[in-house]
Amino acid sequence: MSTATSTATSTGAPAQAAADSHDLIRVHGARENNLRDVSVELPKRRLTVFTGVSGSGKSSLVFSTIAAESQRMINETYSAFLQGLMPTLNRPDVDVLDGLTTAIVVGQERMGGDVRSTVGTATDTGAMLRILFSRLGEPHIGGPQAFSFNVASISGAGAVTLEKGGREIKERREFSITGGMCPRCEGRGTASDFDLTALYDDSKSIDEGAITIPGMSMDGWFGRILRGCGFFPADKPIAQFTKRELDALLYKEPTKLKIEGINLTYTGLIPQIQKSFLSKDREAMQPYVRAFVDRAVVFAECPECGGTRLSEAARSSKIAGVHIGEVSAWQISDVADWIHGLDEPSVAPLLSSLSETLDSFVEIGLGYLSLDRPAGTLSGGEAQRTKMIRHLGSALTDVTYVFDEPTIGLHPHDIDRMNTLLLRLRDKGNTVLVVEHKPETIAIADQVVDLGPGAGTAGGEVVYQGSLDGLRASGTLTGRHLDDRATLKTSVRTPDGAMEVRGADSHNLRNVDVDIPLGVLVAVTGVAGSGKTSLIHGSVASRDGVVLVDQTAIKGSRRSNPATYTGLLEPIRKAFAKANGVKPALFSANSEGACPNCNGAGVIYTDLGIMAGISTLCEVCEGKRFDASVLEYTLGGKDIAEVLAMPVSEAVEFFGAGDAKTPAAHKILVRLADVGLGYLTLGQPLTTLSGGERQRLKLATQMGEQGGVYVLDEPTTGLHLADVEQLLGLLDRLVDSGKSVIVIEHHQAVMAHADWIIDLGPGAGHDGGRVVFEGTPADLVAGRSTLTGEHLAAYVGRWDRG
């Protein structure tokens, strides 16, 4: 018998089988993004939490290295044909990755922004409901697609040519598809009406720039099509158009034309807006597009389907007196109870599977959602927990689950529930890797890996690995702040007015009347689903003078960087142009100043088809992105490439005084430093920033907008314990400068620091929607009358448990 297969040693003790020796995930020499040759060994079938300040390298190690390589190797098991249809993944920059298992990534990304995507469609719950109604619904109207608001009913007939026995014969064929789509709103649930004054200025002609729709400029192809289509005169004011000409401008369906010898398609303004803008969920739109849509389009509930999105036939088929549209509009916890009450042996497996999925929603704290809720309206935390549902009942074991801050958007009351779910996944024999900042989740880890010591170029190292108690004693930034507790203010600011909200009833709000104090820091609190966002976004955010900083993720390509995103590059380019007497466009790597070899990318990309693409440093500009002639121009002794390589902290001084003094640039840089991004370089690609860095970059940008009231939706998302202190200082400076600040927040440190708290609840969904407390944090702690009060009292150490 060979030693490899032996089950006992010469001493009689059982020998370890070779397969049992692979109990570690080994990473050696990881260099992704800012990682500095990181080497770490992680135990399998344990829960490991990765900590560290935002930008320290947590995501680079967990997502860009471990999870990315696991997914890349799985993709390589497919055929070359299938790999060609899949996204191409590069091999991470790492020397050794050993002991990997299949990785399932549950990230923070919001769910699809398509207006047709709902909670039901995203979780397959809607598909199961449609099958249920197609089997049990009375009267019977057809298969599952007859209950789908994404399938239209169509029919047709005609002659088809077939080959039979070597002869061509013609036969008449008919077909029909019974779908559940409402024909009036095309399955959207809302009908739209347009304010034509927001689309064009009718006192001007097309040639004079009458069209005011974003992205539809007369300088490009759009202008050439309008001028050359021949449906209306381009030199006549729109107010003088005939009825036929105006109809062609507004409503004409896509029509193929030949203009200047080129085949083009003309489409009326309204069909074009519906296709370009209204096919997306509002939350997924760019801010300037969203502002236009809010101004130009009035949405109302579809009068034909009542907002259910369904055809009359789909609404006529019922089970126990209710149709599928009504069930989809219920709170999920109520749908679960209804399904439990159905006793139909003919569909028992379907009812069992549906019950398990719906119970998982309730168990994970999302029982307050409805299945017809548009997926794009879910917060980052709600979307992440929704994605978790399909894994809770999975029979898979020995896989690696990777979570990116699963406690985002969770009230302290709900964090215990999330921790239980993470431990359940581990106890089934899985490896669970969690990137997290909340002490409550760090506390349940079998092992903690702390990265740092700082962020960006000051991070990228493993500064501690071990137990929670060891982390406390380690002296790292996380260790020092782990037991931080904010204290209640001894005195609070006095309001200088109030913003009245009367009869707020959006979503689950129950005719809420509340006065929001102005001139102070107000925290709006409550469990997830209690109505916080409905109250503030529905009744406050749209008012004049209100600046909203919401949770929508910032988007950017590898050509985007903090300088371009914040608008900082504009005053910098103008300062360079003025100092050297040339055009500002020369100082943009995306315009005239770009290196001609790499087109301003700094690297040359080589596409290798199904293999990972290769990027090599541009030999001409050496990664500087600019043409050599542009780098001869300087400002304050530095060229544009050297300026973009500066960290924010250095740039604040550079543009604040001396020959390079540029007040417009300095103002933006100070805001970036205020939110704790002093270590970022101005030209760092946005694709390399962590979630917390992106959130703060967005905060810094929108703080520059003019307004008297700032509304911040969970600004602590992605922030380390040490960064929260800096955020509180920033909020104080905003209030002290005369602004009113309203924060929707779950973090107890922000609650304790507020001047006034408005707590909603008492529960989520139809158990919430009421104001259960208004007052100072001290009064909330003293009364402990709400869930928020109990948890805040425990946080500040004022709760006598005895």
Side-chain angles (χ1 to χ4, degrees), residues 239-278:
Q240 298 176 20
F241 275 19
T242 65
K243 187 175 180 181
R244 185 172 182 177
E245 289 168 346
L246 187 61
D247 186 77
L249 174 68
L250 292 174
Y251 302 108
K252 197 166 189 68
E253 291 299 315
T255 307
K256 291 185 178 180
L257 304 168
K258 196 161 211 170
I259 299 174
E260 300 174 19
I262 301 170
N263 292 323
L264 297 169
T265 301
Y266 171 82
T267 308
L269 297 182
I270 287 177
Q272 205 155 336
I273 291 170
Q274 288 172 328
K275 181 181 177 183
S276 302
F277 300 154
L278 303 190

Side-chain angles (χ1 to χ4, degrees), residues 17-154:
D20 294 333
S21 63
H22 301 282
D23 281 338
L24 295 173
I25 296 175
R26 297 190 304 120
V27 182
H28 289 284
R31 293 176 293 276
E32 275 295 306
N33 297 326
N34 67 331
L35 296 180
R36 303 185 192 176
D37 276 316
V38 165
S39 296
V40 65
E41 294 186 344
L42 308 173
K44 290 184 182 177
R45 295 175 289 281
R46 296 292 183 272
L47 194 156
T48 302
V49 174
F50 294 80
T51 60
V53 294
S54 178
S56 61
K58 305 182 299 297
S59 296
S60 297
L61 176 59
V62 179
F63 293 94
S64 302
T65 303
I66 298 173
E69 179 63 357
S70 172
Q71 293 185 326
R72 186 187 72 84
M73 296 183 77
I74 290 169
N75 287 359
E76 285 190 348
T77 65
Y78 300 116
S79 67
F81 172 75
L82 285 177
Q83 288 184 56
L85 302 176
M86 300 166 74
T88 303
L89 302 174
N90 292 322
R91 187 185 188 282
D93 188 2
V94 60
D95 294 333
V96 177
L97 264 176
D98 188 37
L100 293 180
T101 65
T102 302
I104 295 174
V105 177
V106 185
Q108 293 179 28
E109 298 83 11
R110 289 189 164 219
M111 300 178 81
D114 192 291
V115 71
R116 298 185 181 281
S117 179
T118 64
V119 171
T121 60
T123 59
D124 297 334
T125 318
M128 288 190 278
L129 262 187
R130 291 196 295 273
I131 297 171
L132 182 68
F133 272 85
S134 71
R135 299 295 183 272
L136 302 181
E138 291 292 340
H140 178 74
I141 61 168
Q145 64 186 12
F147 298 90
S148 172
F149 55 77
N150 287 327
V151 179
S153 294
I154 56 174

Side-chain angles (χ1 to χ4, degrees), residues 297-310:
V297 188
V298 178
F299 294 98
E301 187 179 87
C302 174
E304 192 162 310
C305 68
T308 63
R309 306 170 177 237
L310 296 164

